Amino acid sequence: MSDAVARPLRAAFIANGDPRDLRTWSGTPRHMLEAIEKRVDMRLVVQSLWPAWYRPLGRALKLLSGRRFEYSWSACFSGIAARRTIRRLEAAKPDVVFAVALTDMAYLFAGSLPVVYITDAVIPDLLEYYEMFQAISPTAKRRAAEAEREAFEAALLLHVPSAWAARSAIEKQGVPADRVVEIAWGANMPFQARAPRTLGAGPLRLLFVGTHWDRKGGPVALDLAAELTRRGIDCRLDVVGCTADVAPGSTAANVTFHGFVDKGTQAGTTMLDTLYAEANLFVLPTLAEAYGIVFAEAAHHGLPSLAYATGGVTSVVKDGETGILLPLGATAADFADQVEALVQSPERYAALSRAALADARERLNWDVWAERLERAVVARIGQTQPAH
């Protein structure tokens, strides 16, 4: 498309929910949209994806089938529901449709629109990796993987944020390597320059942010705080996203559960900023994580991260540079060894903080993401145009 390089891309944007709503996928589509809108001619933003009857009726059918029918992977059921949205997308005549986490609709317009499919994990990994998907029937799982494969085969590009997802897309879903674009995602908060952290006097402050207590490694974080206390290291653990009832027994005096904090409110944003500002280390020993936007948010505050080396985490946190990653199965005592070593080496801690801030500015940044993705899309469109 020779004129595409001389003018902004005409684009449409669609997500699995209203992309302008911070409650959709923790605000990730909104931050993507705001960044990419600066660089393209955005012709259409689909804010109402499905008709009102789609999910209630689909859930009812799912319950009636004993949860074996997955309505979002039914080409007949979803195809009828998607007709209006697909007609709107086609009428916009975009050079590219940015489709965020949208396999359950993207396969329905596979081949009819130039789609950049954006996801943090492919279906085979989701089905194997996350316990929440285990109840889905084998038939629904197979259809989900097939639908995703259809979408990927017809897509202009597949964009993922991690080496883990890129490798799976190529090996498990057969996407050609030259159509997989790996670009790190940013933090779901505005970027601002901050000074590197140093370890000063006072208790060591640990911050945990996650709503799925067991999967996110909450018990390990609690045990870490207890282990550090046993070693004579004065510490505090702040837990965001969960209440104290997730933990058995009484809560230790140095642990504070803040519950869910809504970033869509000024009070919630202020509270989170304060907790990040007061923390020394971000601790999230998650057992399964496709990416982990919270690690990018920690980096934006200059916080080194402690986590397991799993899933997409290894692409957000640079082990030994912006944080410390331990293998799955490492104990709270193993994490405590790492923390104790940092306490004894303030220079190393400061270096981790400086590197985290640099990474937030240069890589884990939505404006950087948008520039790199736009460049990849323009190059791909150029490759698909017939020679004159």
Side-chain angles (χ1 to χ4, degrees):
M1 186 171 63
S2 58
D3 64 333
V5 295
R7 60 166 172 78
L9 288 169
R10 291 188 293 256
F13 194 99
I14 184 170
N16 205 354
D18 181 355
R20 296 200 186 278
D21 191 335
L22 281 172
R23 292 170 297 182
T24 299
W25 209 18
S26 302
T28 297
R30 174 168 163 173
H31 287 83
M32 288 178 170
L33 175 58
E34 290 176 347
I36 205 72
E37 277 183 315
K38 299 174 186 177
R39 310 191 66 87
V40 304
D41 175 10
M42 191 62 71
R43 295 297 182 92
L44 175 66
V45 176
V46 178
Q47 293 183 259
S48 181
L49 187 66
W50 301 102
W53 55 263
Y54 173 68
R55 295 197 189 282
L57 180 56
R59 288 169 183 151
L61 293 172
K62 185 173 182 176
L63 286 174
L64 288 172
S65 71
R67 298 189 176 276
R68 297 183 64 81
F69 172 71
E70 184 52 57
Y71 62 93
S72 57
W73 306 119
S74 167
C76 178
F77 184 79
S78 294
I80 293 171
R83 284 175 182 169
R84 179 176 177 273
T85 294
I86 293 174
R87 284 198 297 267
R88 290 182 64 203
L89 287 167
E90 291 173 341
K93 299 186 183 304
D95 300 319
V96 58
V97 177
F98 295 103
V100 183
L102 200 68
T103 313
D104 55 346
M105 182 181 282
Y107 78 96
L108 296 170
F109 50 77
S112 65
L113 288 161
V115 179
V116 173
Y117 186 66
I118 301 172
T119 185
D120 60 357
V122 298
I123 291 294
D125 276 345
L126 290 175
L127 297 176
E128 297 167 8
Y129 197 44
Y130 288 100
E131 187 176 344
M132 68 184 80
F133 293 107
Q134 299 308 307
I136 298 175
S137 72
T139 299
K141 289 179 180 179
R142 184 176 63 256
R143 179 56 191 143
E146 290 172 351
E148 181 180 71
R149 196 174 302 116
E150 290 173 21
F152 289 169
E153 285 176 357
L156 191 69
L157 286 173
L158 168 63
H159 161 51
V160 294
S162 72
W164 172 74
R167 184 171 56 251
S168 291
I170 295 166
E171 295 177 357
K172 297 181 180 180
Q173 289 293 59
V175 185
D178 63 353
R179 286 201 285 119
V180 178
V181 178
E182 180 194 338
I183 307 170
W185 291 355
N188 289 344
M189 56 179 58
F191 174 78
Q192 64 182 83
R194 291 182 169 90
R197 302 296 186 88
T198 57
L199 287 177
L204 185 73
R205 299 293 295 265
L206 311 176
L207 178 62
F208 173 102
V209 180
T211 55
H212 300 281
W213 178 248
D214 290 322
R215 179 170 67 82
K216 297 287 186 176
V220 177
L222 273 186
D223 289 345
L224 169 59
E227 177 64 22
L228 291 173
T229 301
R230 280 194 291 271
R231 297 186 186 193
I233 298 175
D234 187 13
C235 69
R236 304 288 185 273
L237 172 63
D238 287 289
V239 177
V240 174
C242 298
T243 54
D245 58 2
V246 297
S250 58
T251 302
N254 64 339
V255 178
T256 303
F257 285 87
H258 298 274
F260 175 75
V261 177
D262 186 356
K263 289 194 293 186
T265 66
Q266 185 57 53
T269 298
T270 300
M271 182 178 182
L272 275 174
D273 283 345
T274 299
L275 289 170
Y276 274 111
E278 293 176 347
N280 301 115
L281 291 169
F282 184 75
V283 179
L284 193 74
T286 177
L287 302 175
E289 200 72 35
Y291 186 67
I293 291 287
V294 286
F295 294 111
E297 295 176 349
H300 275 243
H301 287 83
L303 286 182
S305 292
L306 292 174
Y308 286 122
T310 184
V313 177
T314 56
S315 288
V316 196
V317 181
K318 296 181 178 180
D319 185 28
E321 185 177 342
T322 64
I324 297 170
L325 301 179
L326 296 182
L328 284 172
T331 65
D334 296 324
F335 279 103
D337 290 341
Q338 298 296 326
V339 174
E340 190 170 14
L342 283 179
V343 170
Q344 294 171 355
S345 179
E347 299 83 3
R348 183 180 174 223
Y349 173 86
L352 289 173
S353 178
R354 286 194 301 271
L357 287 170
D359 205 29
R361 180 179 63 252
E362 299 164 7
R363 190 177 68 99
L364 305 176
N365 183 302
W366 285 122
D367 286 333
V368 173
W369 168 86
E371 188 275 330
R372 292 178 178 174
L373 183 58
E374 180 203 26
R375 191 192 316 155
V377 171
V378 169
R380 176 61 182 164
I381 289 175
Q383 293 169 2
T384 62
Q385 294 302 303
H388 295 288

